[in-house]
Amino acid sequence: MSTRLAGANLSLLTAALLAAGASLLPVSAMAKVGVTSAADGDPRGKPPSEAERVLRVGVDVQANELITTSATDRAHLMFLDGTSLSVGPNAQLTIDKFVYDPATKTGDLAINASKGVFRLVGGKISKTNAISVTTPSSTIGIRGGISIFNVDQKETTSIFVFGISMTVGARGKMEIVTRPGFQVTTLFGALPGLASAVPPGALSGFLAQLEGSKGGGQSGGADQAAQNSGFSSANSGQGSGNTLGNRFGSGPGPRNANPSNIVTNAITNAFETAPSNAPTLPSKVVSNSGQMTQTITYNGVMGGLVRNNGSFSYGTGSYTQVWSMGTNSGTTTANFNNSSYSGTTTRNGNYGFQANMPTTNPNTPGRTMTMNGAFAGQGYPSTQAGVFTVTGPRYQAAGGFLGQKAP
């Protein structure tokens, strides 16, 4: 789903930073905007008034800092609002501006990326204001979600993984993407391309550049160490309106898992076409233990954009699906934006499923939720991911969901 708007420009965000316990204050050259929560190799940072140094785990990240990586380096940065940024090899970026008010959980964040592969998971700022990423070819805005960028001097590929929306602007025109698994490619000096499905294997290739060395670097690579950092309490991968733990690795996901990394991999599997030589799931799973009669329960989280009587907001929720391996069908119940839904679930192809669920809440008559998803994971799929829509009188909603098999 995409919309092209003429005459729109993405403006750069204004800057200041939180001084402890205060509201918005101007950012000084020495202001801390975040921390290095993981590092692989020797990524480097150059603050505006200090010497360049290696970004080891725990090193503060400052406003207007220039960050560079070589072919063997990766870094994971966590900002004060919970936004996280994974930086791949051979990358260069500058943290242009940062504003955050913890009392209202609002602010601005602007990044200038000149080359490399990056993954951004929006924090509290992105719930109400788009995070701005400027590249040589385009200016990108991320609202309440996850995006991946591949940047060089000639073009920028922007992938929308999950969340409210991603906008890509260049030469006075804008492309808006709200469908997970879609991308926009912008050539230097040209208009943004039309949104299109991510080609098979492309997202896996970008993620491989962000993973780091297995067992190497600090704490076994950036993603693993980030989960153990304890710096952030919330980000867009975790949803909103939930009580979260103090550790980065805890959240409202199934088994208290943090979906910020899980959702990226799950959406990858859900929206990329399986290779021709990939094994297909049997129509029925049979074993000596009588799995024909086995049922699997999936529990998950939901998040998406809501339009209610002309007003827009961001809604969250949860769902439970009971899947029968013998009949390849099931039932799903969901609670999204204070409305409950329930209905049947049917198989859709080798990997997919669809659930149609009318509301069961008398206070929201006429609403119906449709979930379209895919199974992913080793063995019989352990993970689900996909998109959902809700329609009803003067009410519409759309977003993504992620679930895991109950133990």
Side-chain angles (χ1 to χ4, degrees), residues 89 119 158 206 212 314 321 354 379:
R119 176 177 60 201
S158 310
F206 294 144
Y314 184 70
Q321 182 181 118
Q354 178 172 312

Side-chain angles (χ1 to χ4, degrees), residues 115 168 173 205 251 256 273 286 315 347 356 359 391 394:
K115 63 176 181 177
V168 181
K173 304 234 181 205
N256 204 34
T273 303
V286 183
R347 192 68 170 266
N356 295 309
T359 183
T391 58
R394 301 180 63 81

